[in-house]
Amino acid sequence: MPAKTDASVARRVQANRRLVRDGASTDDVERAKARLDAVFSAYPGLVAGSCFDADGEGFTVTCVFAPGDLGRASALAVDFIAARVGASSETGADVTRVRCSATEFVRFQHYLYYGSELQVAHRPAARLTRTPLPTLLGRALGTFTRDYDRARGEDGTVPQLPAWANVLRVIDADGTDQQDIVRRAVVAQRIARIAVTRLERRGRLAVEARAIPGKRGKARIVLLTDEGAAARTRAESLVATLQDDWRQRFGGAAIDRLREALASVVNRLPIELPHYVTGYGEGDPSVTGGDYHAEQAGPPRIPAHGQEWPVVLRETGSDAGDLPLPALLSQVLAAFAIDYDRERLGGLNRTSNFLRFVGDEGMTLERAQTLGGVSGNGKTLHERHLDVVVEPGRPRDTTRRVYPTPKSRRARDAYPHLVMEIEDGWGEAHGDAVPALRAVLETMSNHLDADLPDYPDTNGWIRRLWHD
């Protein structure tokens, strides 16, 4: 499975910001011209006749649309992109002409490329012949989390499971440097920063500036308050109780097989991963946050990651066997998500929970809100990233149609092949642990909550941090 080799998303974003600030250079314009025909050809729904013209006053991009759903989706995308870059547009029955300056032209091409098939990789069409392994993992973790939430109920002295696993668990009795929380919990700096700030405001944590020998300036030392320390103890106790409950529900032998298989996979991972799988930020569900830093083939292989995501190598000889069950489930699921995301096919979270359900004929905005949080205002994750486009209309009209863009159609269609490809690759890398893991999760599946999403809500806990 090749690593991503095209330009970094972060660098492309930075280049686009420079265009907005400084205007397009001659080289920018020439590159956009050279690539636009290729973008047209990689945008199903745009047909022959799509072209661009230049004159002394700017550019006119002519987009001609095919009949049917693909053409309708393409027309909506062109209108959305034109408005996004500040260009004017004139729309006819099957054609839109976008009038733009040099900077607007370059940005228009950039966003049309971003929604095209050129943005993603390719896999052959396939049908799922088994429940995806990440779905089984996600539902097991989701069921444990739901059991935990049911048990804590309205008791405000018990933290959310992710708040314990990703924050309280890693703080020493005499305080911990906030930067060390990032590495101990293996979460992005922005997640740690938000969590510490909000828990401090709620009296669960205290923060003090403290000089550290050998370091310049003062560090932000995070301490548990009495309330926070008591909450951590209650969370640990509740996790232990639920693990005992699961042994009663599923049988001790099944849980032993599950733990052994999970620990076997975790022990082979080259890097540490969070004890509760979480996104890179409040608005980014990916584990590592993109590819600002390119993948390092290794060994050990270091995944592409954002600026704020820590790389923590697993210590030689470390044994995951004694970790809590949700930590084992989380680390294996996070590892699968990282392997999926590196293939540039939509990301596991976004594809498994939403994109694979959006057919060429689209879906209602109401359904898209439920599955993917799409609001129709152009600002939500899937709209900003040109995963989908939404019909214009009144904000409260949830009957409006939501259509996939070409990159999302390709991600949707590749999903069955890719999840099976990765699992098969894991079987070669991790041996008998992978089929053993699948077997025990399948035996448990009838007793797991069936109404859970395929991939857990990795960001909800930080948005609703401990009874927000």
Side-chain angles (χ1 to χ4, degrees), residues 195-408:
V196 168
T197 297
R198 293 181 182 172
L199 292 177
E200 181 188 18
R201 190 162 60 236
R202 284 156 183 75
R204 280 84 186 232
L205 299 177
V207 180
E208 65 179 43
R210 185 185 300 173
I212 303 295
K215 290 187 177 182
R216 296 177 61 184
K218 292 186 176 181
R220 283 174 55 86
I221 303 300
V222 181
L223 302 103
L224 293 167
T225 62
D226 290 344
E227 181 180 348
R232 180 170 70 178
T233 299
R234 292 186 180 98
E236 291 169 349
S237 177
L238 182 52
V239 168
T241 297
L242 289 174
Q243 290 184 132
D244 290 341
D245 290 348
W246 271 43
R247 294 185 70 84
Q248 294 295 320
R249 185 193 311 183
F250 299 108
I255 296 301
D256 287 342
R257 291 196 301 273
L258 176 62
R259 291 184 61 89
E260 182 179 357
L262 290 168
S264 180
V265 174
V266 171
N267 285 336
R268 288 181 170 89
L269 298 176
I271 58 174
E272 295 284 353
L273 293 167
H275 281 210
Y276 196 97
V277 60
T278 194
Y280 184 70
E282 285 188 279
D284 185 347
S286 67
V287 176
T288 63
D291 64 351
Y292 185 90
H293 295 286
E295 177 180 311
Q296 299 176 37
R301 178 167 69 87
I302 306 300
H305 57 280
Q307 279 184 296
E308 298 186 18
W309 194 76
V311 175
V312 183
L313 297 180
R314 188 171 298 280
E315 292 185 7
T316 302
S318 64
D319 185 7
D322 293 331
L323 292 179
L325 185 55
L328 291 169
L329 289 165
S330 291
Q331 291 193 64
V332 175
L333 180 57
F336 200 103
I338 288 171
D339 282 356
Y340 193 103
D341 292 359
R342 74 191 290 253
E343 299 304 320
R344 299 188 296 118
L345 278 162
L348 181 60
N349 176 293
R350 292 155 68 180
T351 304
S352 61
N353 283 353
F354 177 54
L355 298 182
R356 71 189 184 98
F357 299 107
V358 188
D360 288 352
E361 73 283 359
M363 63 171 53
T364 65
L365 178 57
E366 180 179 26
R367 177 73 169 152
Q369 285 175 336
T370 300
L371 291 178
V374 177
S375 70
N377 64 5
K379 298 178 181 179
T380 53
L381 175 73
H382 293 292
E383 295 170 89
R384 288 187 291 106
H385 286 276
L386 283 171
D387 293 331
V388 296
V389 288
V390 185
E391 287 181 330
R394 291 177 286 108
R396 294 185 181 181
D397 180 6
T398 57
T399 65
R400 290 183 283 158
R401 302 295 292 179
V402 177
Y403 295 94
T405 59
K407 72 172 183 178
S408 295

Side-chain angles (χ1 to χ4, degrees), residues 388-433:
V388 296
V389 288
V390 185
E391 287 181 330
R394 291 177 286 108
R396 294 185 181 181
D397 180 6
T398 57
T399 65
R400 290 183 283 158
R401 302 295 292 179
V402 177
Y403 295 94
T405 59
K407 72 172 183 178
S408 295
R409 288 196 296 271
R410 181 169 281 190
R412 174 197 68 196
D413 296 342
Y415 173 81
H417 186 281
L418 185 52
V419 290
M420 293 188 290
E421 174 187 295
I422 293 172
E423 182 178 345
D424 291 344
W426 273 28
E428 296 177 6
H430 300 297
D432 293 341

Side-chain angles (χ1 to χ4, degrees), residues 35 70 135 144 149 155 165-166 177 187 190 192 201 211 310 314 341 344 350 353 387 426 435 439 441 454:
R35 193 158 64 168
L70 295 186
T135 296
F144 194 99
D149 287 338
D155 187 350
N166 290 339
D177 189 327
V187 297
R190 63 190 63 185
R201 190 162 60 236
R314 188 171 298 280
D341 292 359
R344 299 188 296 118
R350 292 155 68 180
N353 283 353
D387 293 331
W426 273 28
L441 286 171
D454 285 3

Side-chain angles (χ1 to χ4, degrees), residues 30-48 50-52 61-63 105 108-120 406-407 410:
E30 291 304 315
R31 280 192 292 268
K33 286 180 182 179
R35 193 158 64 168
L36 192 55
D37 284 340
V39 175
F40 283 152
S41 66
Y43 214 105
L46 290 175
V47 296
S50 299
C51 60
F52 69 93
V61 182
T62 301
C63 298
F105 170 70
F108 181 88
Q109 180 274 147
H110 164 84
Y111 284 119
L112 198 65
Y113 164 84
Y114 191 57
S116 76
E117 292 180 346
L118 295 174
Q119 174 63 18
V120 291
K407 72 172 183 178
R410 181 169 281 190

Side-chain angles (χ1 to χ4, degrees), residues 421-460:
E421 174 187 295
I422 293 172
E423 182 178 345
D424 291 344
W426 273 28
E428 296 177 6
H430 300 297
D432 293 341
V434 176
L437 177 58
R438 166 172 287 282
V440 70
L441 286 171
E442 286 180 336
T443 64
M444 295 170 60
S445 61
N446 289 336
H447 302 284
L448 300 174
D449 291 352
D451 60 336
L452 290 163
D454 285 3
Y455 193 92
D457 180 2
T458 58
N459 293 30

